[in-house]
Amino acid sequence: MAAPRNVLRDEESAAAALLNNSSKEDDDSPTGKRLKSERFPVSRWELAAFFGVFLIFSTGLFCIYLTMPATEYGKLKIPRSISDLRLLKDNIATYASDYPTQFILGYCSTYIFMQTFMIPGTIFMSLLAGALFGVKGVFLVVFNATAGACSCFFLSKLIGRPLVSWLWPDKLRFFQAEIAKRRDKLLNYMLFLRITPTLPNLFINLASPIVDIPFHVFFLATFVGLIPASYITVKAGLALGDLRSVKDLYDFKTLSVLFLIGLVSIFPTLLKKKKIYE
């Protein structure tokens, strides 16, 4: 009677081994790899850290709004189109002139919050600065955009590596290779990227700490490089009534000017390469 039991055990072992091999093959198959790669890459601790930072920023923003004078808060919302922006501008123009300090504090905190957590709509906030403050709004926009980008830089340094590697693996490898080739003139290259729309600013904010760009280089390139685009946006905000779409901000002429300024910023790098070849 022992022999049949041994045979059964051998059959069970063979079946278990077959199942294990098939599961391994499924994991190694393209479909299995694709399913693994599609899983959200951020761990629970990293996700908890993100929401912790988000909660701290949200609480600070809420406290700031509590200290502001009473108004019709139903009319205050983040604009998503040019028509929304015109309505917002008409609703808060008087408020901004009556309470300039409180308004600027609320505007700056909202802008930095949106920039830090990658919330779309900062382009409309920049246009609003031009519509309300004129050319002086350039300083406000550059300050907020730089502060928000720096906050996003440190947030990405905390939890950004797996997320960026998951969302933009090819773009990240390209960016890392370009940074490695330009370590000697990194500031010039970062200025070029900030001035021109070669890479999205969101990607630059998130990927810079991952490819080991020093913070002082990131800060200087962001502060100086955002000035031309901020000036264009604020100037467009002055003529908000004539603006039909956000796409009208960057026509062929505007893009040509930005790329020309960008080429000037990397001219020292090109000159150095020419001397090396000679």
Side-chain angles (χ1 to χ4, degrees):
M1 297 298 292
R5 289 180 182 176
N6 291 335
V7 171
L8 288 173
R9 286 174 183 172
D10 292 341
E11 289 178 353
E12 289 174 356
S13 301
L18 183 61
L19 287 172
N20 289 334
N21 290 334
S22 63
S23 63
K24 287 180 181 178
E25 288 176 359
D26 291 340
D27 290 341
D28 294 335
S29 65
T31 305
K33 289 179 180 178
R34 180 169 57 82
L35 289 173
K36 281 183 178 181
S37 64
E38 287 177 356
R39 293 172 185 168
F40 196 65
V42 180
S43 68
R44 292 179 181 178
W45 290 110
E46 290 169 333
L47 200 60
F50 173 82
F51 281 112
V53 175
F54 184 83
L55 182 62
I56 292 171
F57 270 76
S58 301
T59 304
L61 186 63
F62 180 70
C63 291
I64 288 172
Y65 277 104
L66 287 179
T67 62
M68 296 181 68
T71 186
E72 296 182 35
Y73 289 105
K75 295 181 179 179
L76 299 179
K77 66 174 184 176
I78 297 173
R80 298 298 181 188
S81 64
I82 297 298
S83 58
D84 288 346
L85 183 61
R86 292 194 187 103
L87 288 174
L88 181 62
K89 186 251 182 182
D90 293 337
N91 290 329
I92 64 173
T94 304
Y95 185 91
S97 60
D98 291 342
Y99 308 101
T101 304
Q102 292 92 331
F103 175 79
I104 290 176
L105 181 62
Y107 173 89
C108 292
S109 57
T110 303
Y111 197 119
I112 294 171
F113 180 85
M114 293 173 65
Q115 189 88 341
T116 300
F117 295 101
M118 301 151 281
I119 300 173
T122 53
I123 184 70
F124 296 110
M125 298 292 287
S126 301
L127 288 168
L128 182 63
L132 293 175
F133 302 108
V135 181
K136 293 183 293 184
V138 174
F139 301 101
L140 199 61
V141 171
V142 171
F143 168 78
N144 288 314
T146 304
C150 292
S151 297
C152 189
F153 177 95
F154 288 114
L155 184 63
S156 180
K157 197 168 186 176
L158 180 66
I159 63 166
R161 183 179 294 275
L163 189 62
V164 176
S165 302
W166 181 58
L167 290 173
W168 305 290
D170 297 332
K171 191 178 290 186
L172 181 62
R173 282 193 292 270
F174 168 79
F175 188 45
Q176 196 162 19
E178 292 298 311
I179 293 298
K181 290 189 294 186
R182 294 171 170 83
R183 284 289 174 187
D184 294 339
K185 294 290 183 180
L186 189 55
L187 179 59
N188 298 89
Y189 180 61
M190 289 297 294
L191 276 171
F192 174 79
L193 293 180
R194 281 304 196 188
I195 294 170
T196 63
T198 307
L199 287 174
N201 280 325
L202 171 61
F203 174 78
I204 296 173
N205 295 343
L206 291 172
S208 291
I210 298 172
V211 298
D212 297 325
I213 293 176
F215 176 70
H216 69 278
V217 173
F218 176 85
F219 173 80
L220 286 174
T222 302
F223 183 78
V224 178
L226 291 180
I227 292 175
S230 299
Y231 175 77
I232 291 170
T233 309
V234 169
K235 189 177 179 182
L238 287 168
L240 192 59
D242 300 330
L243 195 64
R244 292 172 297 178
S245 171
V246 175
K247 295 179 180 178
D248 296 339
L249 289 173
Y250 297 102
D251 54 11
F252 178 77
K253 181 180 178 181
T254 302
L255 290 175
S256 300
V257 171
L258 289 176
F259 272 100
L260 182 61
I261 298 172
L263 288 173
V264 171
S265 69
I266 62 169
F267 182 74
T269 305
L270 300 175
L271 191 63
K272 182 180 179 180
K273 283 187 176 181
K274 183 179 178 180
K275 288 181 179 179
I276 291 174
Y277 288 137
E278 289 177 352

